[in-house]
C-alpha cells in the first residue's frame, strides 16, 4: 500500500479523532492509582473512548483482547490488561490507546509514574518524551523520514538509553497501520520525502538498559531482555509545510508548554 496523502475532509476527521484521544489520555492518566488492576484501567479507558462515540482501535485487532495496552515497568508495549495485575506505588505504566472516529484512527501513548517513582524512572519518562519532540522538529514537508528517526535515536542515546528496534512507528489513517514504517533509529538511506497531508504515528520506545527485547508467551507483550524499565511516548501527527500538527496532544501538555501549537519549531 502506498503512503497516503489525506484530503481536507480526512484531515478534519483525524483532527477530531486526535482531540478525543488526547482527552482520553489526559483523563485516564489521572485515574491511575496504586491498587488498581490493569483490567480496571482498560475498562475505564474503553468507557471513555465509547463515551465520545469512538471505537477502540486495538480491541480485537489481530486478536488483541483489550482496548488499552497497559505495559508496566519492563514491559515495552502490548501489555494485556488483567484482573490479576495490580499496579503499585513506584511503578511506571505505559498506556497505548487507539481510537476510531468516523472511520479514522488516532494512536498515542504516554508513560505515567504511579505515586513516588525513582529519579531514574522519572528521567526515562521525561527523556523519552524529549526524544519524540527532537524527532518531530524534522517532521515537515520537504524533509526526509529518517531525519525524524535519527533525531529520536541521537537524543535517547545521548542519555545512554537503548532504542527498541524490533518495533517501529507507522503511517495511520483509515487503517491503524499504514505505510511508511517510522523507525526510532537510523536506517540506511534517508527514507521517503515528507509531504503535506501525510499522517504518522511517531512513537519512541526507549529502554533504561539496552534496546533488546523479547516476547512473552502470550504472543503479544514485549519486555526488555535485561528487565530494566522501558517508556513509550507516541502521538499521531500531521505533516504540513511548516511545524507539524500534533493531533493527539493533550490540553495539559499545551498548558505545561511541552508543545506550542502556534509557535516556532
Ligand atoms: Mg502506534
Amino acid at each position: 500500500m502506498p503512503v497516503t496523502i489525506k484530503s481536507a475532509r480526512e484531515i478534519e476527521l483525524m483532527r477530531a479523532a486526535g482531540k478525543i484521544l488526547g482527552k482520553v489520555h489526559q483523563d485516564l492518566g489521572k485515574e491511575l492509582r496504586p491498587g488498581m488492576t490493569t483490567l480496571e484501567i482498560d475498562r475505564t479507558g474503553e468507557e471513555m473512548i465509547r463515551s465520545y462515540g469512538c471505537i477502540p482501535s486495538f480491541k480485537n485487532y489481530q486478536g488483541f483482547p483489550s482496548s488499552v495496552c497497559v505495559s508496566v515497568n519492563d514491559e515495552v508495549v502490548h501489555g494485556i490488561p488483567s484482573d490479576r495485575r495490580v499496579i503499585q506505588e513506584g511503578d511506571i505504566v505505559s498506556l497505548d490507546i487507539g481510537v476510531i472516529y468516523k472511520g479514522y484512527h488516532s494512536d498515542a501513548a504516554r508513560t505515567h509514574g504511579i505515586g513516588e517513582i525513582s529519579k531514574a524512572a522519572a528521567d526515562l519518562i521525561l527523556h523519552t518524551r524529549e526524544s519524540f519532540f527532537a524527532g518531530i522538529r524534522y517532521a515537515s514537508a520537504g524533509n526526509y523520514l529518517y531525519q525524524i528517526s535519527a533525531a529520536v535515536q541521537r537524543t535517547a542515546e545521548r542519555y545512554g538509553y537503548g532504542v527498541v528496534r524490533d518495533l517501529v512507528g507507522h503511517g495511520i489513517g483509515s487503517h491503524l497501520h499504514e505505510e511508511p514504517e517510522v523507525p526510532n533509529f537510523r536506517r540506511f538511506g534517508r527514507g521517503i520525502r515528507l509531504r503535506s497531508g501525510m499522517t504518522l504515528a511517531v512513537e519512541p520506545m526507549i529502554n533504561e538498559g539496552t534496546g533488546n527485547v523479547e516476547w512473552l508467551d502470550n504472543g503479544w507483550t514485549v519486555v526488555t531482555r535485561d528487565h530494566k524499565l522501558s517508556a513509550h511516548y507516541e502521538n499521531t501527527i500531521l505533516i504540513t509545510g511548516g511545524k507539524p500538527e500534533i493531533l493527539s496532544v493533550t490540553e495539559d501538555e499545551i498548558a505545561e508548554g511541552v508543545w506550542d501549537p502556534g509557535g516556532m519549531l
Side-chain angles (χ1 to χ4, degrees):
M1 195 172 101
V3 178
T4 57
I5 301 295
K6 272 66 179 183
S7 68
R9 174 188 159 271
E10 291 179 303
I11 288 168
E12 277 314 309
L13 293 173
M14 292 197 65
R15 280 194 182 113
K19 191 160 192 180
I20 291 166
L21 181 54
K23 284 185 183 152
V24 171
H25 261 296
Q26 183 161 309
D27 293 345
L28 189 57
K30 288 175 182 165
E31 294 288 321
L32 302 181
R33 60 186 186 280
M36 210 172 176
T37 68
T38 57
L39 188 66
E40 284 176 81
I41 298 169
D42 175 61
R43 295 267 160 84
T44 308
E46 180 167 350
E47 256 172 50
M48 289 176 179
I49 292 166
R50 295 196 189 277
S51 76
Y52 291 106
C54 291
I55 298 167
S57 300
F58 302 161
K59 189 135 195 179
N60 303 319
Y61 181 81
Q62 294 183 0
F64 190 78
S66 311
S67 298
V68 180
C69 294
V70 186
S71 307
V72 182
N73 294 336
D74 67 339
E75 294 171 350
V76 178
V77 287
H78 306 162
I80 299 178
S82 159
D83 59 0
R84 286 162 302 166
R85 187 74 191 266
V86 179
I87 61 170
Q88 323 265 8
E89 173 101 14
D91 284 344
I92 66 169
V93 177
S94 299
L95 304 180
D96 191 355
I97 310 175
V99 303
I100 311 172
Y101 177 72
K102 296 186 178 173
Y104 285 81
H105 293 261
S106 196
D107 187 3
R110 299 288 185 276
T111 301
H112 300 275
I114 306 304
E116 284 276 309
I117 60 172
S118 69
K119 168 91 166 52
D123 284 348
L124 177 67
I125 293 171
L126 199 66
H127 297 319
T128 299
R129 184 171 78 178
E130 184 184 333
S131 72
F132 167 89
F133 284 100
I136 65 155
R137 287 178 65 86
Y138 297 91
S140 54
N143 284 341
Y144 291 89
L145 182 66
Y146 296 165
Q147 289 180 275
I148 301 175
S149 309
V152 169
Q153 179 179 21
R154 201 160 55 230
T155 305
E157 290 182 350
R158 189 189 304 141
Y159 294 104
Y161 297 139
V163 174
V164 175
R165 289 164 175 268
D166 293 78
L167 299 138
V168 295
H170 48 93
I172 181 168
S174 57
H175 298 270
L176 176 59
H177 294 118
E178 299 185 355
E179 292 294 318
E181 290 194 345
V182 183
N184 298 304
F185 50 90
R186 264 172 237 105
R187 271 187 181 163
F188 182 75
R190 55 190 184 181
I192 60 164
R193 191 162 193 176
L194 299 172
R195 291 173 56 195
S196 294
M198 288 179 176
T199 43
L200 306 175
V202 179
E203 50 174 320
M205 288 154 266
I206 306 298
N207 296 349
E208 187 184 20
T210 75
N212 297 330
V213 297
E214 58 194 22
W215 269 255
L216 297 184
D217 288 339
N218 66 27
W220 279 106
T221 309
V222 180
V223 298
T224 59
R225 198 171 289 165
D226 58 15
H227 298 294
K228 292 187 176 176
L229 299 175
S230 185
H232 189 194
Y233 187 87
E234 175 183 27
N235 281 301
T236 297
I237 68 166
L238 168 70
I239 302 296
T240 73
K243 193 172 180 172
E245 275 184 47
I246 306 184
L247 303 178
S248 51
V249 69
T250 71
E251 284 172 14
D252 279 355
E253 286 172 326
I254 293 171
E256 197 190 323
V258 171
W259 179 246
D260 174 4
M264 301 292 287
L265 260 182

